[in-house]
Amino acid sequence: MSQKHFELLEALQCADDVFVDAAGKDWEQKKRPYFRRAGIRAACMLLIAAAGLGGVFHKQVAEAISSFTTRLAEWMGNDNDLRQYTEVVDETQTKDGVSMTLKEVLIDASNIRAAVEVSWEDGIVTGHPWLYYGAIYINGEYVDTLMLKNYETGEEGQYVLLAPYEEGAIPQEINDVTLMIRFVQSQEDGTVDGLADFTFAFETTKESIMEQTATLSINRTLKTEDLIFHVQDMTYTDASARIRVQMEGDPRTFCGEGDDQYTEINYFLCLTDEQENWLEFDAVDYDEETGMLVLDMDCGTPAVDTASYFDIELCRRYPIEVSEVGEEPSAEALQEQYPGGLPGYLDKVRLELK
């Protein structure tokens, strides 16, 4: 396992190397669909507060939800027509009082996304429920992922799973897919209980979106007091986008001590065009030898072909400890921790496209 990623708690007793994104935030707009990014680590769960992003989505809020073409597109706030690339699996399995439905799956050059719904009998869940990929197989081969992300939508039991991987990690021609998904819960004492494991296997029939992959040269620089972010380029499809950044300085935050030490990258990028279409990019990989930072689009519509420019903002999240079951601190506690409020973006630059 690489020190670039988080170790899953040993209590899960997983055979696979599994990484989770130990961050969380709430979104509630059409272009910023309501998600909570859930994760675990040995010490605690975190709620991450994003700063400087309010007030730019009033136009999108008024647009109709019916513009979304698939469940994944709706939950990820993507206006593009993704029907020809999205596998509608819609298979339900029930184990140990838990029913899981794999609704849709979309695979592209850098990520595999799945829309999942879960319900359970009374008394099954006593803590904070969440789920993650236990393992992913494409054409019978194990897929080595960079990390795993688990998003909860605003409705109980609705999740989006994301697993970014290195470009070239999966074949261009995909025939069959197997997803192992684990449903677990976090307790107040920090333990994680496994509730049920599910395996979904299906053949792919949709057009490959990987053939659409294009690259936008950016070549812009953003700075903080201690770091320089050389934003190189963005590869994108209708479904996703990935940005590469050459770093001067180490963007990681080291947390914990000894064997419990882990790292987080709380910096992220936001791209907004003249129509106020908005994309957010979070770190999925960092190579400390080369200084290359890789960030993937978490939600939004990569409307590169229709934009006249992108305003690129460098932002940061500020961790706030919450309980193991997701109870957030009071407004008074937040004000005490951040008496001056959360700052806005750290730096900003415009990229003219036309």
Side-chain angles (χ1 to χ4, degrees):
M1 297 175 67
S2 169
Q3 65 181 13
K4 291 181 285 187
H5 310 301
F6 306 117
E7 289 191 9
L8 189 67
L9 294 182
E10 292 181 358
L12 293 177
Q13 298 179 349
C14 301
D16 310 302
D17 282 346
V18 179
F19 305 103
V20 293
D21 180 67
K25 66 173 184 291
D26 290 341
W27 296 333
E28 192 172 15
Q29 309 288 1
K30 179 173 180 291
K31 291 296 179 181
R32 301 174 70 192
Y34 182 93
F35 288 128
R36 171 166 298 166
R37 180 181 313 150
I40 59 167
R41 59 178 176 83
C44 68
M45 276 201 317
L46 297 179
L47 169 70
I48 303 297
L53 298 176
V56 299
F57 307 106
H58 57 278
K59 184 175 182 180
Q60 284 72 29
V61 174
E63 295 179 1
I65 282 292
S66 60
S67 64
F68 296 116
T69 57
T70 66
R71 187 67 58 88
L72 275 172
E74 176 183 340
W75 289 358
M76 302 305 294
N78 191 326
D79 288 334
N80 286 330
D81 188 350
L82 304 181
R83 285 173 294 185
Q84 65 267 40
Y85 313 113
T86 302
E87 294 288 343
V88 180
V89 182
D90 207 20
E91 177 186 344
T92 300
Q93 299 180 14
T94 300
K95 293 182 180 179
D96 302 323
V98 177
S99 293
M100 179 179 293
T101 301
L102 179 61
K103 303 294 292 185
E104 298 173 353
V105 176
L106 195 154
I107 304 171
D108 65 21
S110 61
N111 212 312
I112 179 169
R113 303 167 187 258
V116 181
E117 293 183 349
V118 185
S119 61
W120 51 86
E121 298 176 1
D122 291 342
I124 296 294
V125 174
T126 59
H128 177 74
W130 53 284
L131 49 82
Y132 66 94
Y133 288 123
I136 300 169
Y137 295 88
I138 293 180
N139 295 351
E141 298 292 329
Y142 178 81
V143 178
D144 189 11
T145 59
L146 296 173
M147 64 165 53
L148 301 179
K149 293 183 178 182
N150 158 31
Y151 293 90
E152 303 173 40
T153 76
E155 300 295 328
E156 183 179 71
Q158 291 183 347
Y159 301 87
V160 176
L161 296 180
L162 293 87
Y165 34 74
E166 293 183 357
E167 295 178 20
I170 65 171
Q172 285 280 340
E173 183 176 345
I174 300 174
N175 300 315
D176 57 81
V177 179
T178 299
L179 303 180
M180 299 172 62
I181 303 176
R182 290 177 167 134
F183 185 61
V184 299
Q185 63 180 344
S186 300
Q187 301 287 4
E188 282 280 9
D189 61 3
T191 59
V192 177
D193 303 327
L195 296 176
D197 292 346
F198 299 86
T199 299
F200 296 91
F202 55 93
E203 295 181 352
T204 56
T205 60
K206 295 295 183 177
E207 179 182 346
S208 174
I209 198 171
M210 288 185 284
E211 298 175 359
Q212 278 194 15
T213 304
T215 301
L216 172 68
S217 178
I218 297 178
N219 294 326
R220 294 293 188 272
T221 297
L222 298 161
K223 298 179 180 180
T224 69
E225 183 177 346
D226 303 316
L227 301 171
I228 300 178
F229 296 71
H230 297 290
V231 185
Q232 296 187 340
D233 55 37
M234 176 173 70
T235 56
Y236 63 94
T237 67
D238 282 348
S240 66
R242 170 169 288 180
I243 287 178
R244 297 188 309 140
V245 177
Q246 183 62 55
M247 291 298 307
E248 290 188 34
D250 194 334
R252 298 174 297 176
T253 298
F254 289 83
C255 308
E257 298 179 355
D259 294 338
D260 292 330
Q261 188 176 74
Y262 64 97
T263 63
E264 292 177 348
I265 297 179
N266 292 322
Y267 296 99
F268 63 102
L269 295 176
C270 288
L271 275 63
T272 309
D273 66 16
E274 71 278 8
Q275 299 297 320
E276 296 181 350
N277 294 311
W278 173 88
L279 304 175
E280 181 184 310
F281 291 80
D282 280 334
V284 297
D285 194 29
Y286 174 69
D287 190 323
E288 60 183 318
E289 293 184 1
T290 65
M292 183 60 67
L293 176 65
V294 178
L295 304 97
D296 275 6
M297 184 190 79
D298 271 351
C299 71
T301 305
V304 177
D305 296 336
T306 59
S308 297
Y309 66 82
F310 280 127
D311 282 332
I312 306 173
E313 295 179 348
L314 173 63
C315 307
R316 183 179 179 182
R317 294 194 181 86
Y318 298 84
I320 303 165
E321 291 194 7
V322 301
S323 75
E324 292 291 344
V325 294
E327 293 181 356
E328 302 171 6
S330 65
E332 292 77 11
L334 293 179
Q335 187 175 12
E336 182 178 349
Q337 184 172 358
Y338 297 102
L342 295 176
Y345 62 82
L346 305 175
D347 199 5
K348 182 176 180 178
V349 66
R350 174 164 292 187
L351 173 65
E352 297 286 352
L353 300 175
K354 297 178 181 179

